[in-house]
Amino acid sequence: MTPVLPPQNNVIAFVPAHNEADIIRSTIESILTQTVKVDVIVISDNSTDDTVSIVRSIAAIDNRVSLIETVGNKFKKSGALNTAYKSVDLNSYDYVLSVDGDTVVAPDLVEQALIEFQLDPLLGAVCSRAGVVKQTTNGFFEKLVYHWQYVEYAEFDRSRVSQDRGIKVAHGMCTVYKVEAIKAVMARRIATEKLDCTLYDVHNITEDYELTVTLKELGYHTAAGFGMHAWTDVPLKLSELWKQRVRWLRGGLDTLWEHGWNKSTRKDILNAGLFWIMLSFQILLLNYALYDIVKGVYHPNWMFILVMSLMYVDSVYTLRYVQDPSKWDYLVRITFIPQIFYAWFTIAQLVCAYYLFLFKPNQDW
């Protein structure tokens, strides 16, 4: 039996945007053309390009679109979204769609989300699949960085399959929230005297992860809708990618420290400890392999071969989850060497995040 969808136009979309003139029109149009009617509020957060004028031109011909310009916001995306929540009467809506200003969504994304909510009364948030917008790259290295991430985002989807109704993070790029769940979080913020946070914790640089943890602590399920497709921009410069991922990882550690050990965080805390065990094991195996090479001993190290073989199979298997894979996506994983470099790059990011967490208490946006 097909679930009965709630009345139309009870969904509002919040689109935080900072200098997204190149893509914001596509983002808004992808929301306006949903199979379920959606009101749209774009929050231009200190934009200095043409983002505001583009949004105004769309709002002039479609009354479902509104614009908010933040004034003096120091808390980036979380501050922008909190501004939107303060400006809207949530009693008029049942669901909130949060979409980054550099993300485009499929026409039936909201409809698919509403079906997920109908199937699970305890569902508080459901996020889209993690897709990547097709981007123009300049030169071999940019192309490599792009396709590293293109396949990596498929890994994010793959991991959510096993997490079922308790995914680690309902990602900020595109998630639909039940208003009832949002109100419960707001009530908790007031109860804990976080009066400046409204919904999102402005003191946390990974607001989506912290919100997901809070929802789970309140007893709500969090899930990924595998019929919900959305695509986002990714950084093409290694320095920008490094900054983005260290920020994500650092924010995750801060969230675990803030919330402590409980039913909703214990798995993530154990995985954080497992990282150091696996890193030590990999360094030990690498040390043995390099020692044999230096000494000129070429007998096979079966443990090293076994671990590398398992890593290779796992790396290639991820291609199953890639949306519209290209030959470059296959080359990155099948040749394996580029993926090894990227794996150690991500390890370095996490080590750096731990350093910042332990020794740099002031979070850097």
Side-chain angles (χ1 to χ4, degrees), residues 160-325:
R160 293 188 182 103
V161 172
S162 61
Q163 294 167 358
D164 192 30
R165 294 290 165 175
I167 62 171
K168 179 177 180 179
V169 54
H171 54 66
M173 112 182 205
C174 180
T175 292
V176 180
Y177 298 94
K178 185 185 292 183
V179 166
E180 169 200 309
I182 288 172
K183 289 180 177 178
V185 174
M186 289 178 171
R188 178 170 176 171
R189 303 293 193 212
I190 294 173
T192 55
E193 298 184 350
K194 289 188 174 180
L195 302 180
D196 60 340
C197 292
T198 308
L199 177 67
Y200 289 95
D201 186 346
V202 296
H203 304 294
N204 190 297
I205 56 178
T206 49
E207 75 293 323
D208 51 359
Y209 179 46
E210 195 281 331
L211 178 56
T212 305
V213 170
T214 302
L215 285 169
K216 289 192 284 188
E217 289 175 344
L218 290 169
Y220 288 99
H221 294 167
T222 56
F226 286 89
M228 297 169 58
H229 293 272
W231 303 270
T232 191
D233 272 338
V234 293
L236 299 179
K237 297 184 183 302
L238 210 57
S239 59
E240 295 174 359
L241 177 59
W242 172 273
K243 183 177 181 180
Q244 178 196 68
R245 298 310 174 84
V246 169
R247 186 178 73 247
W248 288 359
L249 294 166
R250 162 67 192 276
L253 294 172
D254 286 325
T255 298
L256 294 178
W257 179 262
E258 176 186 351
H259 285 261
W261 177 277
N262 60 50
K263 184 179 179 181
S264 300
T265 60
R266 62 192 180 193
K267 184 177 179 180
D268 294 344
I269 292 173
L270 289 172
N271 283 335
L274 182 62
F275 162 76
W276 292 103
I277 296 174
M278 296 302 297
L279 177 58
S280 300
F281 183 61
Q282 290 184 52
I283 292 174
L284 183 63
L285 286 177
L286 185 61
N287 181 66
Y288 280 134
L290 293 174
Y291 180 82
D292 286 347
I293 293 172
V294 171
K295 292 295 185 181
V297 179
Y298 299 106
H299 61 77
N301 185 319
W302 294 112
M303 182 60 71
F304 181 79
I305 293 173
L306 175 62
V307 171
M308 294 302 292
S309 297
L310 291 173
M311 288 176 61
Y312 180 78
V313 171
D314 183 74
S315 176
V316 174
Y317 182 74
T318 297
L319 289 167
R320 176 185 177 187
Y321 295 87
V322 178
Q323 301 179 44
D324 302 320

Side-chain angles (χ1 to χ4, degrees), residues 35-48:
T35 55
V36 174
K37 290 182 180 179
V38 181
D39 293 334
V40 183
I41 294 182
V42 179
I43 311 97
S44 177
D45 183 36
N46 301 312
S47 295
T48 56

Side-chain angles (χ1 to χ4, degrees), residues 19-69:
N19 291 342
E20 302 292 356
D22 292 340
I23 195 172
I24 192 64
R25 182 179 295 277
S26 297
T27 299
I28 297 171
E29 289 176 350
S30 72
I31 299 172
L32 293 176
T33 54
Q34 291 293 299
T35 55
V36 174
K37 290 182 180 179
V38 181
D39 293 334
V40 183
I41 294 182
V42 179
I43 311 97
S44 177
D45 183 36
N46 301 312
S47 295
T48 56
D49 62 359
D50 292 330
T51 297
V52 169
S53 61
I54 292 171
V55 176
R56 283 176 176 163
S57 68
I58 299 173
I61 58 176
D62 195 317
N63 61 11
R64 286 180 293 163
V65 180
S66 302
L67 171 69
I68 295 175
E69 294 184 72

